[in-house]
Structures are given as C-alpha cells and as structure tokens.
Amino acid sequence: MKIPTALQGLHDLSTAPEQQVPLTSRRQAFTDLTSLVGKLATIGLPLGAALAAPAGLRAQSGSVSVTDVLNFALTLEYLEAEFYEMGLSASGLLTGDVRTTIAQISKHETAHVAFLQAAISGAGGTPVTSPTFDFTAGGAFADVFSNPQTFLAVAQAFEDTGVRAYKGQAGNLLGAGDVLTAALQIHSVEARHASEVRRIRGSKGWITGSVNTSAPAASAVYAGEDNVTHLGVNATTVTTVTMDELTQAYDEPLTMSAVLDIAGLFIV
Amino acid sequence: MNYSFFKVKNDREVVRSRRVFLRKSGLGLAAAGLLIAGCADDDMTGLNGDDAVDLGSGDFGVLNYAYALEQLEAAFYAQVLQGSYYASANAEERQIMEDLEAHERAHREFFAAAIATVGTPIPALEVDFSSIDFGSRSSVLSTAQAFEDLGVSAYNGAGRLLQNADYLLVAGKIVSVEARHAAAIRSINAPSDPTAFASDMIIDANGLDLARTPAEVLSIASAFIATPINASNLPG
C-alpha cells in the first residue's frame, strides 16, 4: 500500500531525534517526492486525478477543479496564518518595526484564509480543515519561535513558496473569471510579503538564479528559479541584461506536488 | 525672455501639481485634461484617430498591452539612471534602481521577441516624463511606486482576459516581480512605515491587491505616454 508506506516515511522523518537529522537529510527531504502521498492523505485534498499525472504535467493536466485549487491554496494560507500568529504570540520574538511588518503580513494571511473558505463554500465546495503544523519541521528549525533570524528565514521560505504555488495554479483557473483575478490578487500580495521579508533579512527582494537565501534546508523553494526560457523564447538570446538580472526578472511556478512536498515538512 | 519665463513657470506648476497628486493619491492621476488613450468605449476610436497605435485583439492584444506598460517602465528607469537623484542616491537605492531598470528592460525585450513570433508587436511608444523631476528623490520614488503598483494592478486585471494558459503563466512570472518591486520601492519611499510594502491603502480587507481593467490602467498611464493608444479591440 502506497499511502501507509509514505505516511510511515513521513512519520519517521518528523519524529526522528533532532541530532540524528543533519541538514543534508532535511535538504534531501525537501526534494523527496515519496512523502507526497502521505501528506496529501494528511491534508485530505481530493487530488487523486492530479496525482495520477506525471509530476511535470500536473499543473497543466486540467484535471484539477477550481475547488481543488482553492483548497490547495487554503492549506498554504492555514500554514502561513498560523505561523505568523504563533510568531506574534511568542514572547520577545518580534519587536519594533519587524513586529509591525509581521503583523501586517499576518493580517493578510488570516484574511486570505477567511476569503478562500468563503470562496470555496460559495462555489459549492467544502473548505478543508487546517492540518496540524510543526513549524520546527521535526526539529530542523528548533528555535523558530525563539530566534527572530530563524523565524524570518522560514517566513521567507513560506512567502517565496506561496508566490510559486499560486503561479503554478494559474493555468488551472484559466477562464475562471473572478476566481482567477482573486487568486492573482493574493499572488501579488504574497510577492510583496516575500520582497519585504527578504529585504529585512538583507537579501534583495527578488530571486537571483536559484540561489537560496533562506535556511540551508530550503533549497527546494528555489529550485528551477533560474529558468530563462519563457513561451519557448530563450530570453538570454533577446536581452541586453546580465544573467543574474534576467533570472531576477522572472519568478517561476511550482507544481502542486512540489509545493505540498515543501509544506508537508511542517505538517504533523 | 518673457515667453521662456512663463513657459518654465508653467512647467513647474504642472510638475508640482502632479507631484502633489501622486503623493496624495498614490495612483489616481486624473484623466481630465490629459490625453485619454486606450478607452474601451468604441466612441473613442475616432478620437484616437488613424495615428493611434492599435494594441489589437484577443491574447495578442493583451500581450501588446503588457508590452506597452513594460516600455513605459523601462523608459522611466532608463531615465532615472541618467538623473541626479540616482547619481547621489545611497548604495541600496542605486542598486534597486539598477535592478529595476534591468528587469523592466528584460521584460520589454522579451515581449518584443515573444509577440514577434505570433504577429507584429506595437512600435516603440513615445513617453512624456515632463512631469517627473529626475533630480528629486521624492519625485522619482513616488513615480516608481505609482508605476509598480499600476503594473501589478494591470497584470492582475488582465489575467482573466487571456485564453492561452502559457501566456497566463508568463504574466504570472512577471507580475510577482513587479509586486516585489512595488514592495521595495514603497518601503524605501516610506521608511517610517513598516507596513508600506503592502499598505492598507493598496491591500483591501480581504488581503487582495489591486486589479484594474486596461481602460483604467491606460487612462492613468496615458499621462506619461505621448503616443495615442487604441485599446478598444482588447477583450473586455
């Protein structure tokens, strides 16, 4: 049985003692697709049809309903909303201007949760319930709620992942009118968040190549961001800007499965 | 002498009033008294005349619309890099201006090439930046903020007009970078406001960014574009 096996793998990963889970293992876990099915079972998303397609085709498979996309988005918003609420509640973690910035982001993520729940219900669907989260990712980010630098590094990873997640689902909302517009309106807010968190941390607001400026374990968040081919045009052949600038100028999508693989590290 | 004097004075008045308006409204440059381009109303086609640049119809027209906006942004930052604000800016702000100039130039160059694979892209547009003081930090940053927020709202509003998922994806790849720009510009433009990057003046109570129709966007952008644009054939 695939699901119990995957669940067991995820369980082993999330319960392993911290000292036995070096960063390299965590990094591997970020790209370990075998845990996907377990996470989906945990999240309860009705994505059987999508999963049947090869990884690279899922976003374009056309077999994912609008409600499925919105529930996928809702799961990510649950993750972000709870993360920021916990951060703001953690004594002494966030102070001064950074606290004000995070409170603004938190307000948006909480609003996104309510908005998506209403949108899903309005479309005749049933909003998924929130997963149970472990923002230490099984101990990889043990001080996430006591060390502001760790908190902000994880925040950056969540925001940059969120941008890629919405982008990857746009095609599944083609022709969906108001729903597509709303998804795009959330997408650009996530990008604003990402830019601000990155800049607070001393990075540029935009992503250079596939360079991971978050925690070392977050390399999967940036995988493929160095793509330079768009609409079949190799942009390096038509531009006068440098390679770094060119890759900064485009954000890249992630498939639903790749996003859930990342988010799954924080789902118990 | 007198003529020159009055002309200069008049220009300053225009610059000052537009600057005040940008500062107060963020985005809402009044269309009244300015060249109105891209009105979706069919009645406007005649006003735009035969010399107006027609964006075209369908997805092709939407791509040309994006290309027009990228031309505007690229031209703006190119001029910023020639101005005295940039020359005297601190290292962080210089780097941001250099990056944004490169990104918008890359977008402009890409659209020209991508559109050329399916048709003839619109020509180079003539811009009008007479209202911008490129020696003034506040003028440059306020205009940059208005352009970036405008670009975000334009792509957000145009997505639903597209029929082709590949085009929608490209728009998505670009709009989030525009949003990253907008956040950075807003942040350095209001250093005392830690919420400026996604201010309540831009993001609504549902946590949604702005979305504008092409007619709304072009009525704002037309203050900075001398070439008449006919957007009446865009999907609506």
Side-chain angles (χ1 to χ4, degrees):
Chain A
M1 291 291 290
K2 286 169 64 182
I3 290 177
T5 302
L7 275 173
Q8 187 61 44
L10 184 66
H11 176 77
D12 290 344
L13 189 64
S14 62
T15 56
E18 183 186 351
Q19 64 272 21
Q20 292 179 18
V21 186
L23 283 178
T24 49
S25 295
R26 283 291 167 183
R27 200 174 298 130
Q28 179 59 36
F30 261 77
T31 56
D32 185 1
L33 288 170
T34 62
S35 58
L36 169 66
V37 176
K39 287 162 205 156
L40 286 173
T42 304
I43 296 166
L45 290 177
L47 296 174
L51 283 171
L57 299 177
R58 275 180 203 124
Q60 290 80 38
S61 67
S63 58
V64 182
S65 73
V66 167
T67 303
D68 290 342
V69 171
L70 295 180
N71 265 324
F72 165 71
L74 176 58
T75 300
L76 294 180
E77 299 291 352
Y78 279 138
L79 179 142
E80 290 183 311
E82 185 168 324
F83 174 71
Y84 291 115
E85 284 172 13
M86 290 183 69
L88 290 166
S89 298
S91 177
L93 177 69
L94 302 168
T95 58
D97 284 356
V98 171
R99 182 176 186 85
T100 306
T101 295
I102 294 299
Q104 183 77 353
I105 295 175
S106 176
K107 182 172 74 176
H108 296 156
E109 309 301 7
T110 301
H112 293 164
V113 167
F115 181 84
L116 288 169
Q117 287 174 330
I120 292 163
S121 298
T126 303
V128 292
T129 56
S130 178
T132 300
F133 297 109
D134 167 19
F135 293 110
T136 74
F141 305 110
D143 61 352
V144 66
F145 292 123
S146 58
N147 182 341
Q149 294 310 317
T150 304
F151 179 85
L152 291 172
V154 174
Q156 177 185 320
F158 286 167
E159 297 296 343
D160 278 332
T161 299
V163 174
R164 302 190 71 176
Y166 278 93
K167 199 185 319 295
Q169 293 309 306
N172 285 328
L173 298 178
L174 188 74
D178 290 343
V179 173
L180 171 61
T181 300
L184 291 171
Q185 289 174 284
I186 295 177
H187 171 246
S188 61
V189 170
E190 302 293 341
R192 288 176 187 265
H193 294 172
S195 177
E196 184 72 3
V197 173
R198 293 174 65 90
R199 294 184 64 253
I200 286 174
R201 299 187 64 246
S203 294
K204 290 185 176 184
W206 23 96
I207 299 164
T208 304
S210 58
V211 175
N212 168 27
T213 61
S214 175
S219 60
V221 173
Y222 301 96
E225 280 283 3
D226 54 351
N227 174 51
V228 293
T229 299
H230 316 287
L231 291 179
V233 175
N234 180 343
T236 62
T237 65
V238 299
T239 195
T240 51
V241 306
T242 67
M243 181 65 92
D244 279 356
E245 291 163 342
L246 187 65
T247 60
Q248 289 165 2
Y250 298 87
D251 282 339
E252 295 296 320
L254 277 180
T255 62
M256 194 178 280
S257 62
V259 171
L260 290 172
D261 201 42
I262 293 167
L265 291 179
F266 300 91
I267 294 172
V268 177
Chain B
M1 291 292 279
N2 283 343
Y3 175 80
S4 298
F5 172 77
F6 282 115
K7 185 173 188 297
V8 168
K9 183 182 180 185
N10 188 52
D11 283 350
R12 280 183 182 153
E13 281 301 309
V14 170
V15 168
R16 193 182 65 81
S17 63
R18 284 197 191 174
R19 216 180 288 151
V20 169
F21 198 94
L22 273 172
R23 189 162 59 238
K24 287 182 176 173
S25 70
L27 284 162
L29 277 174
L34 302 169
L35 175 65
I36 300 175
C39 180
D41 188 332
D42 286 341
D43 292 345
M44 291 302 297
T45 308
L47 282 181
N48 285 335
D50 293 337
D51 57 343
V53 169
D54 186 353
L55 296 178
S57 61
D59 282 1
F60 174 77
V62 178
L63 293 179
N64 267 329
Y65 166 57
Y67 178 39
L69 296 177
E70 297 295 349
Q71 286 192 41
L72 174 65
E73 289 190 300
F76 168 71
Y77 289 111
Q79 197 152 336
V80 168
L81 297 193
Q82 303 300 314
S84 59
Y85 153 64
Y86 165 77
S88 60
N90 67 34
E92 180 193 19
E93 293 182 12
R94 284 173 64 93
Q95 183 65 59
I96 288 174
M97 292 300 149
E98 290 164 12
D99 284 355
L100 270 50
E101 188 280 328
H103 300 168
E104 306 301 1
R105 176 156 45 97
H107 294 163
R108 185 197 69 202
E109 292 165 335
F110 168 75
F111 275 115
I115 295 170
T117 67
V118 293
T120 303
I122 58 170
L125 301 174
E126 185 184 342
V127 294
D128 175 6
F129 294 148
S130 60
S131 64
I132 303 164
D133 179 355
F134 289 93
S136 159
R137 180 178 185 274
S138 67
S139 179
V140 169
L141 293 185
S142 294
T143 308
Q145 177 174 316
F147 281 175
E148 297 295 347
D149 283 337
L150 183 66
V152 171
S153 72
Y155 280 102
N156 282 350
R160 68 190 300 154
L161 305 179
L162 290 166
Q163 305 289 316
N164 180 318
D166 294 333
Y167 296 160
L168 178 60
L169 177 58
V170 164
K173 291 181 180 194
I174 292 174
V175 66
S176 56
V177 174
E178 304 291 352
R180 291 172 187 271
H181 292 172
I185 291 289
R186 288 184 146 273
S187 180
I188 62 173
N189 199 22
S192 63
D193 178 5
T195 69
F197 67 99
S199 163
D200 290 350
M201 296 183 65
I202 294 292
I203 312 303
D204 72 14
N206 287 317
L208 305 185
D209 212 323
L210 291 170
R212 287 190 175 90
T213 66
E216 291 169 338
V217 168
L218 289 170
S219 74
I220 297 169
S222 64
F224 303 96
I225 302 175
T227 307
I229 295 174
N230 176 5
S232 65
N233 296 312
L234 288 183

